[in-house]
Amino acid sequence: MTRNAKILIYTAIQVTRNLWFRLFIPVVDVDSTALPVVIYFHGGGFTTYSPSSIAYDAFCRRFAATIPAVVVSVNYRLSPEHRYPSQYDDGFDVVSFLGQNDAVLPKNADRSRIFLAGDSAGGNLAHHVAVGACRCRTVKLAGLVSIQPFFGGEERTESEIRLEKDPLVTATLTDWLWKAFLPVGSTRDHEVANVSGPNAVDISGMEYPATVVFVGGADPLQDWQRRYYNWLRKSGIEAKLIEYPNMFHGFYAFPELPESDQLVSRVADFVASTSTC
C-alpha cells in the first residue's frame, strides 16, 4: 500500500442546508482491494471548522492512506445559528444517504465494514449518530472511533478543576459552547452532553458498535471521556480505552508528534481487528 490518498468532493445531498461531504480514497496497489468506509465528523465545539479546513483535510488524508479506508468527511451545520439537533440530523442523513446510494462510493468500498469516527465535538456527534442508526436500523455499523470526545455536565470534574488554566480548553469556553448548542433553557446535564448522567439514554439493548476511546492526560475533558468509556462497558458494549498521558486536547492534528502517528496506527489496528470479527 502507498501512503497517499486522492480527493473527490460530493456536494449534492442537500444544498439548502449546505450538507455535503469530502471523500478521500486511498491510492492502493490493486483497485479491487476491499476497503472499509470511515464516516468522519470533525471537531470544533459544534461551532467551527469543516472538512475543507486544512487540519481536517490533512488528518482525513492520513486516515485514508494509513488504515487504508475510504473516508467520508461530513460537513454539518454549526451552532449558534443551528442548534441541536441540526448537527445530529445532518450526520444521520449522510449515513442514510450512503446506505441508499451505492454509486457514491468507489466500487471497492466494503459496505459491510462501515465505521463512524470523530474527534472532540465530532466524537459526541459520532456517538449520537450511532444511537440513531441503531434505533432506525438503516446501516449496521462495524465500529466507532471516539477521539477525545466532547462531553460534559453541570458538575466540575477533577480534571476540569486541575487543568482550569489550560490554554485550549477552559470551563468558560465549554460552558459557552454548550449554551450555544443545546436547546434554550437546557442545562449541561442534557442527555446529549452528559451521556452517562441523570438523563442518559439506555443503549444496553442496542446493537451499538464496538468502540475505541482515545484520551489525553493533559485534556481537561478527560474525566468525561473516561466516564463515557465506563458507561459503554456497563451498558454491555465492547469498548477499549487508549490513553496518552502527556497529550493535550487536539494533539492528533499535529503530525510532527509521535503520539499523533501512534493514534492513527491504533485506529488502523482497531479497524482491521474489528472488520474481521
Side-chain angles (χ1 to χ4, degrees), residues 27-262:
V27 177
V28 294
D29 296 331
V30 182
D31 288 341
S32 61
T33 302
L35 297 170
V37 178
V38 177
I39 302 173
Y40 194 87
F41 302 103
H42 66 81
F46 299 111
T47 65
T48 188
Y49 297 124
S50 79
S52 58
S53 299
I54 293 174
Y56 284 106
D57 179 90
F59 191 58
C60 287
R61 284 174 185 261
R62 290 170 64 200
F63 256 41
T66 305
I67 293 175
V70 174
V71 176
V72 178
S73 185
V74 179
N75 188 69
Y76 55 85
R77 287 171 288 179
L78 301 176
S79 59
E81 291 82 4
H82 303 283
R83 292 178 176 268
Y84 163 85
S86 298
Q87 293 78 2
Y88 302 150
D89 289 345
D90 290 349
F92 184 75
D93 286 350
V94 168
V95 173
S96 299
F97 178 85
L98 293 173
Q100 297 165 9
N101 295 272
D102 280 351
V104 173
L105 296 175
K107 292 181 180 179
N108 59 339
D110 187 347
R111 278 77 172 171
S112 69
R113 298 159 65 202
I114 296 178
F115 293 77
L116 299 184
D119 68 286
S120 196
N124 177 301
L125 182 49
H127 165 73
H128 291 290
V129 171
V131 171
C134 291
R135 284 172 169 164
C136 298
R137 300 180 184 273
T138 51
V139 174
K140 183 173 176 58
L141 300 171
L144 191 153
V145 177
S146 188
I147 304 172
Q148 295 183 292
F150 180 33
F151 297 118
E154 287 296 302
E155 174 193 353
R156 288 285 187 250
T157 66
E158 187 277 334
S159 63
E160 287 176 311
I161 295 169
R162 175 169 48 85
L163 299 169
E164 63 179 348
K165 297 189 183 299
D166 183 84
L168 298 175
V169 179
T170 65
T172 300
L173 173 62
T174 57
D175 286 356
W176 183 87
L177 292 173
W178 288 123
K179 185 176 181 179
F181 171 71
L182 293 171
V184 175
S186 299
T187 73
R188 296 188 301 274
D189 281 332
H190 190 284
E191 64 185 54
V192 300
N194 192 352
V195 290
S196 61
N199 301 306
V201 173
D202 183 9
I203 64 170
S204 58
M206 296 182 182
E207 292 186 31
Y208 191 92
T211 301
V212 59
V213 181
F214 291 92
V215 174
D219 183 356
L221 300 176
Q222 62 187 273
D223 287 345
W224 293 112
Q225 295 156 5
R226 291 193 189 92
R227 288 186 188 185
Y228 171 57
Y229 162 76
N230 290 327
W231 172 71
L232 290 176
R233 294 291 301 270
K234 290 177 182 177
S235 298
I237 309 303
E238 180 184 343
K240 183 176 184 179
L241 182 69
I242 298 178
E243 300 200 43
Y244 295 90
N246 300 317
M247 287 297 99
F248 53 91
H249 193 81
F251 74 92
Y252 42 85
F254 296 85
E256 60 271 25
L257 292 174
E259 291 86 351
S260 178
D261 266 349
Q262 291 167 19

